[in-house]
Amino acid sequence: MTAESPLQIAAPDLAAAAADWQRHLGAERRSAPKTLEAYDRDLRQFLSFLTLHLGEPPRIASLSELRPADIRAFLARRRGEGIEARSLGRSLAGIRSFICFLERRGEANAAPFAAVRAPKARKSLPKPVEAGQALRLVDAGESLAEEPWVAARDAAVMSLLYGAGLRISEALGLTRAEAPLAADVLRVTGKGGKTRIVPILPAIRTGLAAYLRLCPFALPPDGPLFVGVRGGPLSPRIVQLAIERLRGALGLPDSATPHALRHSFATHLLSAGADLRSIQELLGHASLSTTQVYTGVDASRLIEVYRRTHPRA
């Protein structure tokens, strides 16, 4: 436990074990500092609940005496405080990690915690931008940037998000040598180092060429394709701010974000008749189930295809 964790929420043996667990996560598991903070916070919240629930600061032995109902009571309390299912699931995962650590040392029984299911997070459907709105977002002439090269840069980035379905990290991760100025396809390295090939439309090549022609910096082949006003790598936040400004000027909803352009890429392809398997490949999704979320966005088209093609329709 950290210095923020008063010992009154845990008996000395449990507090010492929690400190051992934190050291284990940092030294052996190499968990990120933010992960360590989150796990420590989740465990403190759980121990604070147990102190009230049991009437005394819990000991290591107290954890083995817990029933699934006790753990569900903690989750219910947190839910009553307005904590959403996704955060509750992360909290439960952190607590389970600690209990499993104790179980490996022969000090606790993790079975009651394994018996509790994590709350199901609501699957939120993507909110794509309408085709006309998306085209205005990727139009350099609509930009509010004072410098023409910055306007061209922002439009080129957004054209890769909407026209090729790239994640913002994928677009900003491109090097100058990878700029698809003459090629019809682009090799993209996505999550987990997985590579895919995406088609590059002439309009994307034109936008990239305009940006490179106006860019005041010499871009080395192995350096970033997109740079900021000082010549360093372009931050995703700068692109987000550019779209935020455009939203207000163009009267677009708050759902118009860089990632919404990627959603729009998939949704508009689906509306035009593309099959899910092809969209999966273009987006770089490892599983088709991830891509299937887009079917909820354009159910009307799927129903029409069904009615038109099924023998019994």
Side-chain angles (χ1 to χ4, degrees):
M1 306 292 283
T2 66
E4 296 180 76
S5 306
L7 288 181
Q8 62 263 29
I9 66 170
D13 66 333
L14 185 52
D20 290 343
W21 173 60
Q22 284 277 312
R23 284 190 290 269
H24 165 74
L25 291 176
E28 298 183 31
R29 297 281 297 276
R30 299 183 181 276
S31 298
K34 291 292 186 183
T35 301
L36 294 175
E37 290 177 16
Y39 274 13
D40 182 69
R41 182 172 59 252
D42 293 335
L43 182 59
R44 284 189 281 113
Q45 290 167 346
F46 181 57
L47 296 182
S48 296
F49 166 80
L50 287 182
T51 298
L52 297 174
H53 188 64
L54 301 176
E56 62 180 2
R59 298 167 288 110
I60 290 179
S62 306
L63 300 181
S64 295
E65 297 170 358
L66 294 177
R67 300 165 300 164
D70 298 313
I71 303 159
R72 294 191 189 99
F74 165 70
L75 296 176
R77 170 70 64 83
R78 296 290 288 156
R79 172 73 84 175
E81 294 170 353
I83 305 302
E84 296 187 356
R86 190 178 302 276
S87 296
L88 287 176
R90 189 213 64 218
S91 179
L92 182 59
I95 296 165
R96 281 174 174 164
S97 173
F98 175 57
I99 300 303
C100 288
F101 171 77
L102 293 179
E103 187 176 56
R104 288 192 296 271
R105 301 204 313 186
E107 297 177 339
N109 176 19
F113 294 83
V116 177
R117 291 185 179 182
K120 287 187 177 181
R122 289 180 56 190
K123 287 187 177 181
S124 57
L125 291 176
K127 295 180 180 179
V129 181
E130 293 180 4
Q133 296 172 338
L135 291 175
R136 295 186 71 185
L137 283 173
V138 302
D139 184 355
E142 298 279 8
S143 175
L144 301 179
E146 295 181 1
E147 295 287 341
W149 81 269
V150 173
R153 177 202 67 193
D154 294 346
V157 173
M158 295 180 209
S159 70
L160 285 170
L161 306 185
Y162 177 59
L166 269 60
R167 301 177 177 92
I168 190 169
S169 59
E170 294 169 345
L172 300 189
L174 294 173
T175 65
R176 170 62 181 85
E178 293 172 323
L181 298 177
D184 292 329
V185 296
L186 172 67
R187 182 180 295 274
V188 180
T189 301
K191 289 184 176 181
K194 181 181 178 182
T195 61
R196 68 185 189 277
I197 302 296
V198 296
I200 294 298
L201 300 170
I204 297 178
R205 293 199 298 270
T206 300
L208 286 169
Y211 157 62
L212 290 173
R213 185 174 63 253
L214 295 172
C215 182
F217 300 101
L219 304 178
D222 59 347
L225 171 60
F226 296 108
V227 295
V229 294
R230 296 183 180 179
L234 181 61
S235 165
R237 183 58 184 154
I238 298 300
V239 180
Q240 292 166 351
L241 288 172
I243 290 188
E244 285 180 16
R245 289 193 295 269
L246 272 176
R247 280 204 308 254
L250 301 179
L252 301 183
D254 290 344
S255 57
T257 64
H259 203 63
L261 288 174
R262 175 172 152 91
H263 286 323
S264 302
F265 165 82
T267 305
H268 298 165
L269 283 177
L270 182 65
S271 299
D275 63 276
L276 276 175
R277 184 67 68 180
S278 298
I279 295 175
Q280 176 194 0
E281 292 295 327
L282 291 171
L283 291 175
H285 287 160
S287 170
L288 185 62
S289 62
T290 306
T291 313
Q292 283 175 329
V293 68
Y294 295 100
T295 64
V297 179
D298 196 27
S300 60
R301 190 196 70 83
L302 295 177
I303 293 172
E304 176 58 31
V305 169
Y306 166 77
R307 287 174 175 167
R308 188 174 65 249
T309 59
H310 196 281
R312 301 297 297 274

